[in-house]
Amino acid sequence: AWFGKDQVLFDVSVHIPKNRVTAIMGPSGCGKTTFVRTLNGLHLMTPGARSSGTVLLEGTDTSTMDIVDVRKHIGMVFQRPNPFPTMTVYENVLAGYRLTGQHLSPEKADQIVEATLNKVGLWTEVQTKLFKAGTSLSGGQQQRLCIARTIAMEPAVVLFDEPTSALDPKSTAIIEELLSDLKSDYSIIFVTHGLQQA
């Protein structure tokens, strides 16, 4: 992977096991974030960025897939919680469906929202706040909402780029436990600085 003329990743070859949490570690600036962003094509959204090589998703070369499909199958949760500010909690969970033009019946939408928020341990905390702004939640709740938004689309793989770095210890512990629970349904790639966290 390159940024302009600067090559930042060299000869990376790795097999990510299915339904496991795989930690990506290394010092600041070594290319951890760039690596995970190459997996779902986000790296190429940076002006002047390019990459070479092949990413295979269960044997399929992702370069042969539509980029929307790639991101549907390989979701991403970022370092800082980023709920869409103009959307409610409810709308944030369903944002992927809306952005990809998929129509859901009201019943199906309600079902997805409740099931997904339950998966991330948020339902009991926010069921009376579903139609308030996603940004009205605490930092840890916002990050779990972002995880819910990602897994609502039922991806095969979820990329996490240091998702606890902006959170307090209690929220960090909740998300670490959540990741352990989610691996039964998703293959997780987790960027971290912390050996203890890995």
Side-chain angles (χ1 to χ4, degrees), residues 82 100 115 118 134 164 171:
N82 62 343
T100 55
N118 264 314
T164 61
S171 296

Side-chain angles (χ1 to χ4, degrees), residues 112-166:
I112 290 170
V113 169
E114 183 173 351
T116 307
L117 290 174
N118 264 314
K119 261 189 180 179
V120 300
L122 255 187
W123 177 252
T124 55
E125 297 173 40
V126 302
Q127 62 181 321
T128 60
K129 303 175 186 174
L130 293 178
F131 299 102
K132 293 187 175 179
T135 51
S136 69
L137 304 179
S138 72
Q141 289 174 327
Q142 285 184 34
Q143 191 64 301
R144 282 186 285 152
L145 176 60
C146 293
I147 295 170
R149 182 178 67 200
T150 301
I151 66 173
M153 296 297 291
E154 300 182 348
V157 179
V158 183
L159 311 172
F160 288 87
D161 186 11
E162 298 191 62
T164 61
S165 65

Side-chain angles (χ1 to χ4, degrees), residues 17-21 119 155-156 177-188:
K18 190 171 184 171
N19 297 110
R20 300 275 295 277
V21 177
K119 261 189 180 179
E177 187 174 327
L178 172 61
L179 291 178
S180 183
D181 294 341
L182 290 176
K183 71 181 178 188
S184 60
D185 295 319
Y186 312 96
S187 302
I188 294 172

Side-chain angles (χ1 to χ4, degrees), residues 19 29 35 41-43 57 61 76 84 94 103 110 127 133 135 141 161 174 183 187 189 194:
N19 297 110
F35 170 67
L42 278 176
H43 172 66
L57 176 63
D61 182 347
M76 186 157 184
F84 295 128
L94 299 174
H103 177 73
D110 287 349
Q127 62 181 321
T135 51
Q141 289 174 327
D161 186 11
I174 290 170
K183 71 181 178 188
S187 302
I189 302 173

